[in-house]
Amino acid sequence: MAGFEKQLSAPLRKGIAEEAMEGDDEAFDGAPMGNEEMFSNGGDIDDPRHTPISTLGKAGASGGGELMDVEAYASLYTGRTKVVRLLFIAKRCGNEAMQLEALRMAHDEIKKGEDTQLYHEVTARIGDRLGPQYALDQTWADIVDRRAEHRKEKLENEFNSYKTNMIKESIRMGYNDIADFYYAHGQLGDAFKNYVRTRDYCTTSKHIIQMCLNVILVSIELEQFMHVSNYVSKAEQTPEQLDPIMNSKLRCAAGLAYLETKKYKLAARKFLETGIELGNNYTDVIAPQDVAIYGGLCALASFDRTELKNKVIDNINFSNFLELVPEVRELINDFYASHYASCLEYLENLKPNLLLDIHLHDHIEMLYTEIRHKAIIQYTLPFISVELHTMAGAFKTSVAGLEKELEALITENKIQARIDSHNKILYARHADQRNATFQRVLQTGVEFERDVRAMLLRANLIKHESIMKSARKL
Amino acid sequence: MESVEVLVAHIQGLSRSPDEVSHLHSLLKQSEDALRSHASRLAPFLSQLDPSIHTLGYLFLLEAYSSGSISGEEASGFLLTVVEFINSCSAEQIQLAPEKFISVCKSFKDQVMQLGVPMQGIAPLWMAVRKLQTSTEQLTTLHSDYLLLCLLAKCYKAGLSILDDDIFEVDHPRDHFLYCYYGGMINIGLKRFEKALACLHNVVTAPMTTLNAICVEAYKKYILVSLILNGQVPSFPKYTSSAAHRNLKNYTQPYVDLANFYASGKFSELEACIQTNQEKFLSDSNLGLVKQVLSSLYKRNIQRLTQTYLTLSLQDIANVAQLNNPKEAEMHVLQMIQDGEIFATINQKDGMVSFHEDPEQYKSCRMTEHIDFSIQRLMALSKKLSSLDDNLSCDPQYLSKVGKERQKFDFDEFDSVSHKFM
């Protein structure tokens, strides 16, 4: 008991103490349970444990209480990803005020840069809702475009002179500059091409790593995650020892690639290996809070219990990340400690904000279903019989709905059990090995006989060179 | 007529010993044409001969007689003659001229079918098959005729005795196709679906260079029977001929669609599919089977429930299996319990069904006997298989082929294949 409590922060012990009276917290006894008090945790939202999160702006109360603080969220990122994320939020959130806030911030950010395409897009989306200051300023756009033209010409001239001089280093830098220019102006395809071209002119490992990072950055935004994986492995293969920040960056990028290609287990592993030195060094792609969330959720959905304990809960390095998002930490601990109601509630609260994240939004449903299924399976594992009423209470769902979910899981053979629909009880069922063996043996015998007979017949047919002539056409 | 009388005298004279019989045989072969020209007038001569002793001669005369057209009044007389002949003929003499025997029996069968009395033909043809076979493992042309008569007369059980023999030697491929196809149909009629599936499987996977109509029809039934039995149609095994593999699905499209709808598990869709293709099913005379497929869908849905539930209300069963009301569900469950397809008890008071495990404990004497018997059978079968393998390895053709493919190394190397074969 004591060891268990150490994992939780102090305020939670109050809630736990109630359950402590019911005996073991992890495995309930064999008899069907009828104790409702066990599921009372997670009910009160005004707990002090929620306060550390408000700076993040991701505190979600049930329903539509406290919405995401767009400003705080955006402050976590820099560069193009900030704009892209803000635009995504504006597109996806249902709330007009939040939308305008996001668009406003996006507009300010774009004006600091030189991407006129995005500028046009943002002003079109704003319309005239934010007043004349945020309307389309064509003159600014024209100035920027003209400047861009000049710069492009200059770069091209410089580049041609480098080419004639045939100095590797200057050619490489030339390509780099051109690529940077394209990137700043939102022409990502060209930027990608030029970054890749620098590859032939890289001489030191440092160059290679720089090139890889650039390519990875562009590929992530272009959503070409094959390239991301390729270039991560390329960067990792350099002979020189990478410094820890670089390592962390590459791990994050790899994790993102796996996440987007739905390989959740591998993604979780990568995120968990990311060192805390990442800090704020990779904010043009990912924030450390994201590492915690992505890693935590993927781990929960794909790891088994031992892995979850060793790699997540006992992982000192990762706990630094989890500090930034205490909710994820709480929900992982709740899951491990079988407090499913509270765990699922945290998940529900996080959901609306996570749906606004560009990388996670289309994986949320799948991850949540996986976590829910895992919770149900883990719940039924220690018991011979479980009363469906109490289980439905634990998962905050109706008995009928729970029955349907269980039926699906049993059909997929993930739970070895049978449902007594009359008395609403789930009974564990273990196949009788002996009978099953006999059945299989007899079945094998029958199949063997049938196949060998057919084969002998066929061999005979072929032996007599009895192949149908084409005279017997249909 | 002269020549015929002379011939008859020869027959009577030369039917004592095997040498005489072979002499007779050659004589008869020479006079075949003469006999045929006198076809219609041979009847009285037949009465002079005794079929059990003068089998060969009798056979030739009979064959010549039947090769001519037989008029209506003569038909019944002809039938009686043939029946008597088959019953009393000697098997060794028949083996000398099997084609003639087959042709006699075929015209017998045609007559029987023409007169519309297939049942009369069953017993004689069974005797004929037994006399023609050199061993019970041989397939003759008469097998398929026999099964055809059984089918027409709806005497399926009669066909069983022939079907239960395992066939390993086949003389003509067409016999094989027809035999397996009719065999499959008889088994379907007797509701022995596993055996039917095996028969039809043999037709579909037999070696062939081009597709034939028998194969197409067999494949249609194969789809239906495998749906009833297993709920799915297996894909072609790799020893299927490429002709079958590529083309069968094109000719049996309505059935393939049916299989797809069945897989979706939705009763209404399946019914709709059946409705649209009804005429095609009817023209293939498969409508009865199709209806059985439909009812098997219910059964399969209910069987799935036994895997997940210990008890379930009749109302829920009705919902899951897409039946209309609990009464229908009860009827279906009752039927399935009686057929031994599921193990359950119905509690009418609560409207609940409790599902049980298979009570078979594999501990009874009967089960031990069954297992022992299976083991014996399988051992005999594998012995047969290994003897076939041994024979093949000694076959000179095989050896020469293997020898040719070997690279010619130094002659110092130990060669397991004699140089003679290279």
Side-chain angles (χ1 to χ4, degrees), chain A residues 393-410:
Chain A
F395 285 91
K396 299 270 174 68
T397 173
S398 67
V399 176
L402 182 66
E403 210 173 306
K404 287 270 169 299
E405 279 186 275
L406 284 172
E407 185 181 335
L409 283 173
I410 293 176

Side-chain angles (χ1 to χ4, degrees), chain B residues 65-76:
Chain B
Y65 179 49
S66 58
S67 59
S69 61
I70 302 179
S71 59
E73 335 70 69
E74 289 182 356
S76 42

Side-chain angles (χ1 to χ4, degrees), chain A residues 403-404 406-411 417-429 431-432 434-442 444-474, chain B residues 166-174 176-177 180 194 197-198 201-202 205-214 216 239 251 304-313 316 320 350 352 357-363 367 370-371 374 377-378 381-382 384-385 388 392:
Chain A
E403 210 173 306
K404 287 270 169 299
L406 284 172
E407 185 181 335
L409 283 173
I410 293 176
T411 320
R418 294 285 179 274
I419 304 177
D420 180 343
S421 183
H422 184 50
N423 301 321
K424 300 294 179 210
I425 299 185
L426 182 77
Y427 287 102
R429 173 189 185 274
D432 186 339
R434 185 176 169 279
N435 281 357
T437 312
F438 268 102
Q439 242 173 358
R440 258 203 319 276
V441 164
L442 285 173
T444 314
V446 164
E447 284 170 16
F448 175 76
E449 195 173 347
R450 193 187 59 208
D451 289 340
V452 171
R453 287 236 169 84
M455 193 168 65
L456 286 174
L457 188 57
R458 268 200 310 281
N460 195 280
L461 280 172
I462 297 177
K463 185 168 125 189
H464 285 221
E465 288 156 337
S466 30
I467 301 179
M468 291 301 282
K469 304 282 184 257
S470 46
R472 297 265 182 230
K473 255 204 212 138
L474 186 60
Chain B
D166 302 319
I167 300 293
F168 291 120
E169 287 172 45
V170 178
D171 293 329
H172 301 283
R174 185 153 173 276
H176 168 67
F177 281 113
C180 287
E194 296 91 5
L197 202 62
H201 183 82
N202 279 339
T205 55
M208 59 180 118
T209 46
T210 58
L211 211 46
N212 60 57
I214 305 174
V216 174
Y239 44 79
Y251 290 107
R304 252 208 305 274
L305 290 172
T306 61
Q307 295 303 312
T308 349
Y309 288 93
L310 271 179
T311 63
L312 196 57
S313 70
D316 286 331
V320 169
D350 300 330
M352 283 281 168
E357 298 287 324
D358 184 354
E360 177 63 64
Q361 284 293 312
Y362 299 98
K363 287 186 189 151
M367 183 52 72
H370 175 66
I371 296 179
S374 305
R377 224 175 35 232
L378 288 177
L381 196 61
S382 14
K384 195 180 185 65
L385 189 59
L388 184 67
L392 199 57

Side-chain angles (χ1 to χ4, degrees), chain B residues 122-138:
Chain B
I122 292 185
L125 261 193
W126 184 84
M127 186 69 73
V129 166
R130 286 275 172 249
K131 293 213 171 152
L132 188 56
Q133 271 184 326
T134 43
S135 76
T136 50
E137 294 176 355
Q138 190 197 23

Side-chain angles (χ1 to χ4, degrees), chain A residues 253-289:
Chain A
L256 261 182
Y258 282 133
L259 174 64
E260 288 285 1
T261 49
K262 298 199 198 299
K263 300 200 180 109
Y264 299 125
K265 196 157 187 173
L266 296 168
R269 291 215 181 113
K270 285 290 174 188
F271 283 125
L272 290 169
E273 287 166 12
T274 312
I276 191 63
E277 309 81 17
L278 179 74
N280 284 325
N281 292 317
Y282 210 24
T283 51
D284 42 0
V285 170
I286 195 172
Q289 287 84 349

